[in-house]
Amino acid sequence: MRYAIARMAAAQGRYDEAEKAYREVHVVEEEVLGHDHPDTLTTCHWVARMVLAQGRHDAAERLFRQVLATRENVLGVDHPNTLETLNGDEQRA
């Protein structure tokens, strides 16, 4: 449910609200699925997108780099989700 709220807020340009909701989802996913789970990484990717959308470029870059490094280790460098983070592709997350 929180994920749907985050997506809706993001679609409406309410990036601060979306970031908060994605962060709440991320905390639960880390506890339940673990830090390296693909779903957890996708949510972290979306946190980074919301941070970027708010103009917080340095913070967004740090998050994107963390997601990219973990996706490369867990999924491989050629996996679509890894490339998504590398390229900033909005369609897959």
Side-chain angles (χ1 to χ4, degrees):
M1 182 72 147
R2 276 317 276 163
Y3 200 87
I5 291 169
R7 295 289 299 233
M8 183 176 296
Q12 295 174 349
R14 298 186 335 254
Y15 303 121
D16 57 337
E17 182 180 333
E19 177 193 352
K20 181 180 180 218
Y22 279 125
R23 285 187 185 276
E24 290 171 0
V25 171
H26 186 254
V27 167
V28 172
E29 288 177 338
E30 276 195 328
E31 290 174 4
V32 174
L33 303 173
H35 174 75
D36 294 346
H37 191 279
D39 291 347
T40 306
L41 295 170
T42 295
T43 302
C44 191
H45 173 93
W46 277 97
V47 170
R49 291 195 62 74
M50 296 305 100
V51 170
L52 181 62
Q54 294 173 70
R56 296 171 21 225
H57 300 280
D58 291 340
E61 181 179 358
R62 282 190 301 276
L63 288 168
F64 278 125
R65 287 184 184 275
Q66 290 172 359
V67 173
L68 180 61
T70 307
R71 281 183 165 176
E72 285 177 344
N73 288 334
V74 173
L75 303 173
V77 295
D78 294 328
H79 191 279
N81 290 358
T82 303
L83 298 173
E84 162 196 43
T85 299
L86 184 62
N87 295 324
D89 180 6
E90 297 180 34
Q91 302 302 315
R92 298 194 55 83

Coordinates of all heavy atoms in Angstrom, one line a residue:
M1 N 0.8 -1.2 0.0 CA 0.0 0.0 0.0 C 0.9 1.3 0.0 O 0.6 2.2 -0.7 CB -0.9 0.0 1.2 CG -1.8 1.1 1.3 SD -3.1 1.0 0.0 CE -4.4 1.7 0.9
R2 N 1.9 1.3 0.8 CA 2.8 2.5 0.9 C 3.5 2.7 -0.5 O 3.7 3.8 -0.9 CB 3.9 2.3 1.9 CG 3.6 2.6 3.3 CD 2.8 3.9 3.6 NE 3.6 5.1 3.6 CZ 3.0 6.3 3.5 NH1 1.8 6.5 3.4 NH2 3.8 7.4 3.6
Y3 N 3.8 1.6 -1.2 CA 4.5 1.7 -2.5 C 3.5 2.4 -3.4 O 3.9 3.2 -4.2 CB 4.9 0.3 -3.0 CG 5.9 0.3 -4.0 CD1 7.3 0.3 -3.7 CD2 5.6 0.3 -5.4 CE1 8.3 0.3 -4.6 CE2 6.6 0.3 -6.3 CZ 7.9 0.4 -6.0 OH 8.9 0.4 -6.9
A4 N 2.3 2.0 -3.4 CA 1.3 2.6 -4.3 C 1.1 4.1 -4.0 O 1.0 4.9 -4.9 CB -0.1 1.9 -4.2
I5 N 1.1 4.4 -2.7 CA 1.1 5.9 -2.3 C 2.3 6.6 -2.8 O 2.2 7.7 -3.3 CB 0.9 6.0 -0.8 CG1 -0.5 5.4 -0.3 CG2 1.2 7.4 -0.3 CD1 -0.6 5.3 1.1
A6 N 3.4 6.0 -2.7 CA 4.7 6.6 -3.2 C 4.6 6.9 -4.7 O 4.9 7.9 -5.2 CB 5.9 5.7 -2.9
R7 N 4.2 5.9 -5.4 CA 4.1 6.0 -6.9 C 3.1 7.1 -7.3 O 3.3 7.9 -8.2 CB 3.6 4.7 -7.5 CG 4.6 3.5 -7.4 CD 5.8 3.7 -8.2 NE 5.5 3.7 -9.6 CZ 6.1 3.0 -10.6 NH1 6.9 2.0 -10.3 NH2 5.8 3.2 -11.8
M8 N 2.0 7.2 -6.6 CA 1.0 8.2 -6.9 C 1.5 9.6 -6.6 O 1.3 10.5 -7.4 CB -0.3 8.0 -6.1 CG -1.4 9.0 -6.5 SD -3.0 8.6 -5.6 CE -3.4 7.0 -6.3
A9 N 2.1 9.7 -5.4 CA 2.7 11.0 -5.1 C 3.8 11.5 -6.1 O 3.8 12.6 -6.5 CB 3.3 10.9 -3.6
A10 N 4.6 10.5 -6.5 CA 5.6 10.8 -7.5 C 5.0 11.3 -8.8 O 5.4 12.3 -9.4 CB 6.5 9.6 -7.7
A11 N 4.0 10.6 -9.2 CA 3.3 10.9 -10.5 C 2.7 12.3 -10.4 O 2.5 13.0 -11.5 CB 2.2 9.9 -10.8
Q12 N 2.3 12.7 -9.2 CA 1.7 14.0 -9.1 C 2.7 15.1 -8.7 O 2.3 16.3 -8.5 CB 0.6 14.0 -7.9 CG -0.5 13.1 -8.3 CD -1.5 12.9 -7.1 OE1 -1.2 13.2 -6.0 NE2 -2.7 12.3 -7.5
G13 N 4.0 14.8 -8.7 CA 5.0 15.7 -8.5 C 5.2 16.1 -7.0 O 5.9 17.1 -6.7
R14 N 4.7 15.3 -6.2 CA 4.9 15.5 -4.7 C 6.0 14.6 -4.3 O 5.9 13.6 -3.6 CB 3.6 15.2 -4.0 CG 2.4 16.0 -4.4 CD 1.1 15.8 -3.6 NE 1.0 14.6 -2.9 CZ 0.1 13.6 -3.3 NH1 -0.6 13.8 -4.4 NH2 0.0 12.5 -2.7
Y15 N 7.2 15.1 -4.7 CA 8.4 14.3 -4.5 C 8.9 14.1 -3.1 O 9.4 13.0 -2.7 CB 9.6 14.9 -5.3 CG 9.2 15.0 -6.8 CD1 9.3 16.2 -7.4 CD2 8.8 13.9 -7.5 CE1 8.9 16.3 -8.8 CE2 8.5 14.0 -8.9 CZ 8.5 15.2 -9.5 OH 8.2 15.3 -10.8
D16 N 8.6 15.1 -2.2 CA 9.0 14.9 -0.8 C 8.2 13.9 -0.2 O 8.6 13.0 0.6 CB 9.0 16.2 -0.1 CG 7.6 16.9 -0.1 OD1 6.8 16.7 -1.1 OD2 7.4 17.7 0.8
E17 N 6.9 13.9 -0.5 CA 6.0 12.8 0.1 C 6.3 11.5 -0.5 O 6.3 10.5 0.3 CB 4.5 13.2 -0.3 CG 3.5 12.3 0.3 CD 2.1 12.7 -0.1 OE1 1.8 13.9 -0.3 OE2 1.2 11.8 -0.1
A18 N 6.6 11.4 -1.8 CA 7.0 10.1 -2.4 C 8.3 9.6 -1.8 O 8.4 8.4 -1.5 CB 7.1 10.3 -3.9
E19 N 9.2 10.5 -1.6 CA 10.5 10.0 -1.0 C 10.2 9.4 0.4 O 10.8 8.3 0.7 CB 11.5 11.2 -0.8 CG 12.7 10.8 -0.1 CD 13.6 11.9 0.3 OE1 13.3 13.1 -0.1 OE2 14.6 11.7 1.0
K20 N 9.4 10.1 1.2 CA 9.1 9.6 2.5 C 8.5 8.2 2.5 O 8.9 7.3 3.2 CB 8.2 10.6 3.3 CG 7.9 10.1 4.7 CD 7.0 11.1 5.4 CE 6.7 10.6 6.8 NZ 5.4 10.8 7.2
A21 N 7.5 8.0 1.6 CA 6.8 6.7 1.5 C 7.8 5.7 1.0 O 7.8 4.5 1.5 CB 5.6 6.9 0.5
Y22 N 8.6 6.0 0.0 CA 9.6 5.0 -0.5 C 10.6 4.6 0.6 O 10.9 3.4 0.7 CB 10.3 5.5 -1.7 CG 9.6 5.4 -3.1 CD1 9.4 6.5 -3.9 CD2 9.1 4.2 -3.5 CE1 8.7 6.4 -5.1 CE2 8.5 4.1 -4.7 CZ 8.3 5.2 -5.5 OH 7.6 5.1 -6.7
R23 N 11.0 5.6 1.4 CA 11.9 5.3 2.5 C 11.3 4.3 3.5 O 11.9 3.4 4.0 CB 12.4 6.5 3.1 CG 13.4 7.3 2.3 CD 14.0 8.4 3.1 NE 14.9 9.2 2.3 CZ 16.2 9.0 2.1 NH1 16.8 7.9 2.6 NH2 17.0 9.7 1.3
E24 N 10.0 4.5 3.8 CA 9.3 3.6 4.7 C 9.2 2.2 4.1 O 9.4 1.3 4.9 CB 7.9 4.2 5.0 CG 7.9 5.5 5.8 CD 6.5 6.1 5.9 OE1 5.5 5.6 5.3 OE2 6.4 7.2 6.5
V25 N 8.9 2.1 2.8 CA 8.9 0.8 2.2 C 10.3 0.2 2.2 O 10.4 -1.0 2.5 CB 8.4 0.9 0.7 CG1 8.6 -0.4 0.0 CG2 6.9 1.4 0.7
H26 N 11.3 1.0 2.0 CA 12.7 0.5 2.0 C 13.1 -0.1 3.3 O 13.7 -1.2 3.4 CB 13.6 1.6 1.6 CG 15.0 1.2 1.4 ND1 16.0 1.5 2.3 CD2 15.6 0.4 0.4 CE1 17.1 0.9 1.8 NE2 16.9 0.3 0.7
V27 N 12.7 0.5 4.4 CA 13.0 0.0 5.7 C 12.4 -1.3 6.0 O 13.1 -2.3 6.4 CB 12.6 1.0 6.8 CG1 12.6 0.4 8.2 CG2 13.4 2.3 6.8
V28 N 11.2 -1.5 5.6 CA 10.5 -2.8 5.8 C 11.1 -3.8 4.9 O 11.4 -5.0 5.3 CB 9.0 -2.7 5.5 CG1 8.3 -4.0 5.5 CG2 8.3 -1.7 6.5
E29 N 11.4 -3.5 3.6 CA 12.0 -4.5 2.7 C 13.4 -4.9 3.2 O 13.7 -6.1 3.1 CB 12.1 -3.9 1.3 CG 10.8 -3.8 0.6 CD 10.9 -3.1 -0.8 OE1 11.9 -2.4 -1.0 OE2 10.0 -3.4 -1.6
E30 N 14.2 -4.0 3.7 CA 15.5 -4.4 4.3 C 15.4 -5.3 5.4 O 16.1 -6.3 5.5 CB 16.3 -3.1 4.7 CG 17.0 -2.5 3.6 CD 18.1 -1.5 4.0 OE1 17.9 -0.9 5.1 OE2 19.1 -1.4 3.3
E31 N 14.4 -5.1 6.3 CA 14.2 -6.0 7.4 C 13.7 -7.4 7.0 O 14.1 -8.4 7.5 CB 13.2 -5.4 8.4 CG 13.7 -4.2 9.1 CD 12.6 -3.5 10.0 OE1 11.5 -4.0 10.1 OE2 12.9 -2.5 10.6
V32 N 12.7 -7.4 6.0 CA 12.1 -8.6 5.6 C 12.9 -9.4 4.5 O 13.1 -10.6 4.6 CB 10.7 -8.4 5.1 CG1 10.0 -9.6 4.5 CG2 9.8 -7.8 6.2
L33 N 13.4 -8.7 3.5 CA 14.0 -9.3 2.4 C 15.5 -9.2 2.4 O 16.2 -10.1 1.8 CB 13.5 -8.6 1.1 CG 12.0 -8.6 0.8 CD1 11.7 -7.8 -0.4 CD2 11.5 -10.0 0.7
G34 N 16.1 -8.2 3.1 CA 17.5 -8.0 3.1 C 18.0 -6.9 2.2 O 17.3 -6.5 1.3
H35 N 19.1 -6.4 2.5 CA 19.7 -5.3 1.8 C 20.0 -5.5 0.3 O 19.8 -4.6 -0.5 CB 21.0 -4.9 2.5 CG 21.8 -3.8 1.8 ND1 21.4 -2.5 1.8 CD2 22.9 -3.9 1.0 CE1 22.3 -1.8 1.1 NE2 23.2 -2.6 0.6
D36 N 20.3 -6.8 0.0 CA 20.7 -7.1 -1.4 C 19.6 -7.6 -2.3 O 19.8 -8.0 -3.4 CB 21.8 -8.1 -1.4 CG 23.1 -7.6 -0.8 OD1 23.2 -6.4 -0.6 OD2 24.0 -8.4 -0.4
H37 N 18.4 -7.7 -1.7 CA 17.3 -8.2 -2.5 C 16.9 -7.3 -3.6 O 16.9 -6.1 -3.5 CB 16.0 -8.5 -1.6 CG 15.0 -9.3 -2.2 ND1 14.0 -8.7 -3.1 CD2 14.7 -10.6 -2.2 CE1 13.2 -9.6 -3.5 NE2 13.6 -10.8 -3.0
P38 N 16.6 -7.8 -4.8 CA 16.3 -6.9 -6.0 C 15.1 -6.0 -5.7 O 15.2 -4.8 -6.1 CB 15.9 -7.9 -7.1 CG 16.7 -9.1 -6.8 CD 16.7 -9.2 -5.2
D39 N 14.1 -6.4 -4.9 CA 13.0 -5.5 -4.6 C 13.5 -4.3 -3.7 O 13.1 -3.2 -3.9 CB 11.8 -6.2 -4.0 CG 11.1 -7.1 -4.9 OD1 11.3 -7.1 -6.1 OD2 10.3 -8.0 -4.4
T40 N 14.3 -4.6 -2.8 CA 14.9 -3.6 -1.9 C 15.7 -2.6 -2.7 O 15.6 -1.4 -2.5 CB 15.7 -4.3 -0.8 OG1 15.0 -5.2 -0.1 CG2 16.3 -3.2 0.2
L41 N 16.5 -3.1 -3.6 CA 17.3 -2.2 -4.5 C 16.4 -1.4 -5.4 O 16.8 -0.2 -5.6 CB 18.3 -3.1 -5.3 CG 19.3 -3.8 -4.5 CD1 20.1 -4.8 -5.3 CD2 20.2 -2.8 -3.8
T42 N 15.4 -1.9 -5.9 CA 14.5 -1.1 -6.7 C 13.9 0.0 -5.9 O 13.8 1.2 -6.4 CB 13.4 -2.0 -7.3 OG1 14.0 -2.9 -8.2 CG2 12.3 -1.2 -8.1
T43 N 13.4 -0.3 -4.7 CA 12.9 0.8 -3.9 C 13.9 1.9 -3.6 O 13.7 3.1 -3.6 CB 12.3 0.2 -2.6 OG1 11.3 -0.7 -2.9 CG2 11.7 1.3 -1.7
C44 N 15.2 1.4 -3.3 CA 16.2 2.4 -3.0 C 16.5 3.2 -4.3 O 16.8 4.4 -4.2 CB 17.5 1.7 -2.6 SG 18.8 2.8 -2.0
H45 N 16.4 2.6 -5.5 CA 16.6 3.3 -6.7 C 15.5 4.5 -6.8 O 15.8 5.6 -7.2 CB 16.4 2.4 -7.9 CG 16.3 3.0 -9.2 ND1 17.5 3.2 -10.0 CD2 15.3 3.5 -10.0 CE1 17.1 3.8 -11.1 NE2 15.8 4.0 -11.1
W46 N 14.3 4.1 -6.4 CA 13.2 5.1 -6.4 C 13.4 6.2 -5.4 O 13.0 7.4 -5.6 CB 11.8 4.5 -6.3 CG 11.4 4.0 -7.7 CD1 11.6 2.7 -8.2 CD2 10.9 4.8 -8.8 NE1 11.2 2.7 -9.5 CE2 10.7 4.0 -9.9 CE3 10.6 6.1 -8.9 CZ2 10.2 4.5 -11.1 CZ3 10.1 6.6 -10.0 CH2 9.9 5.8 -11.1
V47 N 13.9 5.9 -4.2 CA 14.3 6.9 -3.3 C 15.3 7.9 -3.9 O 15.1 9.1 -3.8 CB 14.9 6.3 -2.0 CG1 15.5 7.4 -1.1 CG2 13.9 5.5 -1.2
A48 N 16.3 7.4 -4.6 CA 17.3 8.2 -5.2 C 16.6 9.1 -6.3 O 17.0 10.3 -6.4 CB 18.4 7.4 -5.8
R49 N 15.7 8.6 -7.0 CA 15.0 9.4 -8.1 C 14.2 10.5 -7.4 O 14.2 11.6 -8.0 CB 14.1 8.5 -8.9 CG 14.8 7.5 -9.8 CD 13.9 6.9 -10.8 NE 13.4 7.9 -11.7 CZ 14.1 8.5 -12.7 NH1 15.4 8.2 -12.8 NH2 13.5 9.4 -13.4
M50 N 13.6 10.2 -6.3 CA 12.8 11.3 -5.6 C 13.7 12.4 -5.0 O 13.4 13.5 -5.1 CB 11.9 10.7 -4.5 CG 10.8 9.7 -5.1 SD 9.7 10.5 -6.3 CE 10.4 9.8 -7.8
V51 N 14.9 11.9 -4.5 CA 15.9 12.9 -4.0 C 16.4 13.8 -5.2 O 16.5 15.0 -5.0 CB 17.0 12.1 -3.3 CG1 18.2 13.1 -3.0 CG2 16.5 11.4 -2.0
L52 N 16.6 13.1 -6.3 CA 17.1 13.9 -7.5 C 16.0 14.9 -8.0 O 16.3 16.0 -8.3 CB 17.5 12.9 -8.6 CG 18.0 13.5 -9.9 CD1 19.3 14.3 -9.6 CD2 18.2 12.5 -10.9
A53 N 14.8 14.4 -8.0 CA 13.7 15.3 -8.4 C 13.5 16.5 -7.6 O 13.0 17.5 -8.0 CB 12.4 14.5 -8.4
Q54 N 14.0 16.4 -6.3 CA 13.9 17.6 -5.4 C 15.2 18.5 -5.5 O 15.3 19.4 -4.8 CB 13.8 17.1 -4.0 CG 12.5 16.4 -3.7 CD 12.5 15.8 -2.3 OE1 12.4 16.5 -1.3 NE2 12.5 14.5 -2.2
G55 N 16.1 18.1 -6.5 CA 17.2 18.9 -6.7 C 18.4 18.7 -5.8 O 19.4 19.4 -5.8
R56 N 18.3 17.6 -5.0 CA 19.4 17.3 -4.1 C 20.4 16.3 -4.8 O 20.4 15.1 -4.5 CB 18.8 16.7 -2.8 CG 17.9 17.7 -2.1 CD 17.1 17.2 -0.9 NE 17.4 16.0 -0.3 CZ 16.5 15.1 0.1 NH1 15.2 15.3 -0.2 NH2 16.9 14.0 0.7
H57 N 21.1 16.9 -5.7 CA 22.0 16.1 -6.6 C 23.0 15.3 -5.9 O 23.2 14.1 -6.3 CB 22.6 17.0 -7.7 CG 21.5 17.8 -8.5 ND1 20.9 17.2 -9.5 CD2 21.0 19.0 -8.3 CE1 20.0 18.0 -10.0 NE2 20.1 19.1 -9.3
D58 N 23.7 15.9 -4.9 CA 24.8 15.1 -4.3 C 24.3 13.9 -3.5 O 24.8 12.8 -3.6 CB 25.6 16.0 -3.3 CG 26.4 17.1 -4.0 OD1 26.7 16.9 -5.2 OD2 26.8 18.1 -3.4
A59 N 23.2 14.1 -2.8 CA 22.6 13.0 -2.1 C 22.0 11.9 -3.0 O 22.2 10.7 -2.8 CB 21.4 13.5 -1.2
A60 N 21.4 12.3 -4.1 CA 20.9 11.4 -5.1 C 22.1 10.6 -5.7 O 22.0 9.4 -5.9 CB 20.2 12.1 -6.2
E61 N 23.2 11.3 -6.1 CA 24.3 10.6 -6.6 C 24.8 9.5 -5.7 O 25.1 8.4 -6.1 CB 25.4 11.6 -7.0 CG 26.6 10.9 -7.6 CD 27.7 11.8 -8.0 OE1 27.6 13.0 -7.8 OE2 28.7 11.3 -8.5
R62 N 24.9 9.8 -4.4 CA 25.4 8.8 -3.4 C 24.5 7.6 -3.4 O 25.0 6.5 -3.4 CB 25.5 9.4 -2.1 CG 26.7 10.3 -1.8 CD 26.9 10.7 -0.4 NE 25.8 11.4 0.2 CZ 25.6 12.7 0.1 NH1 26.5 13.5 -0.6 NH2 24.6 13.3 0.6
L63 N 23.2 7.9 -3.4 CA 22.2 6.7 -3.4 C 22.3 5.9 -4.7 O 22.3 4.7 -4.6 CB 20.8 7.3 -3.2 CG 20.5 7.8 -1.8 CD1 19.1 8.5 -1.9 CD2 20.4 6.6 -0.8
F64 N 22.4 6.6 -5.8 CA 22.5 5.9 -7.1 C 23.7 5.0 -7.2 O 23.7 3.9 -7.6 CB 22.4 6.8 -8.3 CG 21.1 7.3 -8.7 CD1 20.7 8.6 -8.8 CD2 20.1 6.3 -9.0 CE1 19.5 9.0 -9.2 CE2 18.8 6.7 -9.4 CZ 18.5 8.1 -9.5
R65 N 24.8 5.6 -6.7 CA 26.1 4.8 -6.7 C 26.0 3.6 -5.8 O 26.5 2.5 -6.1 CB 27.3 5.7 -6.2 CG 27.7 6.7 -7.3 CD 28.9 7.5 -6.8 NE 29.3 8.5 -7.8 CZ 30.0 8.3 -8.9 NH1 30.5 7.1 -9.1 NH2 30.3 9.3 -9.7
Q66 N 25.3 3.7 -4.6 CA 25.2 2.6 -3.7 C 24.3 1.5 -4.4 O 24.7 0.3 -4.4 CB 24.5 3.0 -2.4 CG 25.4 3.8 -1.5 CD 24.6 4.4 -0.4 OE1 23.4 4.2 -0.2 NE2 25.3 5.1 0.5
V67 N 23.2 1.9 -5.0 CA 22.3 1.0 -5.7 C 23.1 0.3 -6.9 O 23.0 -0.9 -7.0 CB 21.0 1.6 -6.2 CG1 20.2 0.7 -7.1 CG2 20.2 2.1 -5.0
L68 N 23.8 1.1 -7.6 CA 24.5 0.5 -8.8 C 25.6 -0.5 -8.3 O 25.6 -1.6 -8.9 CB 25.2 1.7 -9.5 CG 26.0 1.2 -10.8 CD1 25.1 0.6 -11.8 CD2 26.7 2.5 -11.4
A69 N 26.4 -0.2 -7.3 CA 27.4 -1.1 -6.9 C 26.8 -2.4 -6.4 O 27.3 -3.5 -6.7 CB 28.2 -0.4 -5.7
T70 N 25.7 -2.3 -5.6 CA 25.0 -3.5 -5.1 C 24.4 -4.3 -6.2 O 24.5 -5.5 -6.3 CB 24.0 -3.2 -4.0 OG1 24.6 -2.4 -3.0 CG2 23.4 -4.4 -3.4
R71 N 23.7 -3.6 -7.1 CA 23.1 -4.3 -8.3 C 24.2 -5.0 -9.1 O 24.0 -6.1 -9.6 CB 22.3 -3.4 -9.1 CG 20.9 -3.1 -8.6 CD 20.1 -2.2 -9.4 NE 18.7 -2.3 -9.0 CZ 17.7 -1.6 -9.6 NH1 18.0 -0.7 -10.5 NH2 16.5 -1.7 -9.1
E72 N 25.3 -4.4 -9.3 CA 26.4 -5.0 -10.1 C 26.9 -6.3 -9.4 O 27.1 -7.3 -10.1 CB 27.6 -4.0 -10.3 CG 27.3 -3.0 -11.3 CD 28.5 -2.0 -11.4 OE1 29.3 -1.9 -10.5 OE2 28.5 -1.2 -12.4
N73 N 27.0 -6.2 -8.1 CA 27.5 -7.4 -7.3 C 26.4 -8.5 -7.3 O 26.8 -9.7 -7.4 CB 27.9 -7.0 -5.9 CG 29.1 -6.2 -5.8 OD1 30.0 -6.3 -6.7 ND2 29.3 -5.4 -4.8
V74 N 25.2 -8.1 -7.1 CA 24.1 -9.1 -6.9 C 23.6 -9.6 -8.2 O 23.4 -10.9 -8.4 CB 23.0 -8.5 -6.1 CG1 21.8 -9.5 -6.0 CG2 23.5 -8.2 -4.7
L75 N 23.4 -8.7 -9.2 CA 22.7 -9.1 -10.4 C 23.6 -9.2 -11.6 O 23.3 -9.8 -12.6 CB 21.6 -8.1 -10.7 CG 20.5 -7.9 -9.7 CD1 19.6 -6.7 -10.0 CD2 19.7 -9.1 -9.5
G76 N 24.8 -8.6 -11.5 CA 25.7 -8.5 -12.7 C 25.6 -7.2 -13.4 O 24.6 -6.5 -13.4
V77 N 26.7 -6.9 -14.1 CA 26.8 -5.6 -14.8 C 25.8 -5.5 -16.0 O 25.5 -4.4 -16.4 CB 28.2 -5.3 -15.3 CG1 29.1 -5.1 -14.1 CG2 28.7 -6.4 -16.2
D78 N 25.4 -6.6 -16.6 CA 24.5 -6.6 -17.8 C 23.0 -6.8 -17.5 O 22.2 -6.8 -18.4 CB 25.0 -7.7 -18.8 CG 26.4 -7.4 -19.4 OD1 26.7 -6.2 -19.5 OD2 27.1 -8.3 -19.7
H79 N 22.7 -7.0 -16.2 CA 21.3 -7.2 -15.8 C 20.5 -5.9 -16.1 O 21.0 -4.8 -15.9 CB 21.2 -7.5 -14.4 CG 19.8 -8.0 -14.0 ND1 18.8 -7.1 -13.7 CD2 19.3 -9.2 -13.8 CE1 17.7 -7.8 -13.4 NE2 18.0 -9.1 -13.5
P80 N 19.3 -6.0 -16.6 CA 18.5 -4.8 -16.9 C 18.3 -3.9 -15.8 O 18.3 -2.6 -16.0 CB 17.1 -5.4 -17.4 CG 17.4 -6.8 -17.9 CD 18.6 -7.3 -17.0
N81 N 18.2 -4.4 -14.6 CA 18.0 -3.5 -13.4 C 19.3 -2.7 -13.1 O 19.3 -1.5 -12.7 CB 17.6 -4.2 -12.2 CG 16.1 -4.7 -12.3 OD1 15.4 -4.5 -13.3 ND2 15.7 -5.4 -11.3
T82 N 20.4 -3.3 -13.3 CA 21.7 -2.6 -13.2 C 21.8 -1.5 -14.2 O 22.2 -0.4 -13.9 CB 22.9 -3.6 -13.3 OG1 22.7 -4.7 -12.3 CG2 24.2 -2.9 -13.1
L83 N 21.5 -1.9 -15.4 CA 21.6 -0.9 -16.5 C 20.6 0.2 -16.3 O 20.9 1.4 -16.6 CB 21.4 -1.6 -17.9 CG 22.4 -2.6 -18.2 CD1 22.0 -3.4 -19.5 CD2 23.8 -2.0 -18.3
E84 N 19.4 -0.1 -15.7 CA 18.4 0.9 -15.4 C 19.0 2.0 -14.5 O 18.9 3.2 -14.7 CB 17.3 0.2 -14.7 CG 16.3 1.2 -13.9 CD 15.5 0.4 -13.0 OE1 15.9 -0.5 -12.3 OE2 14.3 0.8 -12.9
T85 N 19.7 1.6 -13.4 CA 20.4 2.5 -12.5 C 21.5 3.3 -13.2 O 21.6 4.5 -13.0 CB 20.9 1.8 -11.2 OG1 19.8 1.2 -10.6 CG2 21.6 2.8 -10.3
L86 N 22.2 2.6 -14.0 CA 23.3 3.2 -14.7 C 22.8 4.3 -15.7 O 23.3 5.4 -15.8 CB 24.2 2.2 -15.5 CG 25.4 2.7 -16.2 CD1 26.4 3.3 -15.2 CD2 26.0 1.5 -17.0
N87 N 21.7 4.0 -16.4 CA 21.2 4.9 -17.4 C 20.1 5.8 -16.9 O 19.6 6.7 -17.6 CB 20.6 4.0 -18.6 CG 21.7 3.3 -19.3 OD1 22.8 3.8 -19.4 ND2 21.4 2.1 -19.7
G88 N 19.5 5.5 -15.7 CA 18.4 6.4 -15.2 C 17.1 6.1 -15.9 O 16.3 6.9 -16.0
D89 N 16.9 4.9 -16.4 CA 15.7 4.5 -17.1 C 14.5 4.4 -16.2 O 14.5 3.6 -15.2 CB 15.9 3.1 -17.8 CG 14.7 2.6 -18.5 OD1 13.7 3.4 -18.7 OD2 14.8 1.5 -19.0
E90 N 13.5 5.2 -16.4 CA 12.4 5.3 -15.5 C 11.4 4.2 -15.8 O 10.5 3.9 -15.0 CB 11.6 6.6 -15.7 CG 12.4 7.8 -15.3 CD 11.7 9.1 -15.6 OE1 10.4 9.1 -15.4 OE2 12.3 10.1 -15.9
Q91 N 11.4 3.5 -16.9 CA 10.4 2.6 -17.3 C 10.4 1.3 -16.5 O 9.3 0.7 -16.3 CB 10.5 2.2 -18.8 CG 10.5 3.5 -19.7 CD 9.2 4.2 -19.5 OE1 8.1 3.6 -19.5 NE2 9.2 5.5 -19.4
R92 N 11.5 0.8 -16.0 CA 11.6 -0.5 -15.4 C 11.3 -0.6 -13.9 O 10.8 -1.6 -13.4 CB 12.9 -1.2 -15.7 CG 13.2 -1.3 -17.2 CD 14.3 -2.2 -17.4 NE 14.1 -3.5 -16.8 CZ 13.5 -4.6 -17.2 NH1 12.8 -4.5 -18.3 NH2 13.5 -5.7 -16.6
A93 N 11.6 0.5 -13.2 CA 11.4 0.4 -11.8 C 10.0 0.6 -11.4 O 9.4 0.0 -10.6 CB 12.2 1.5 -11.1

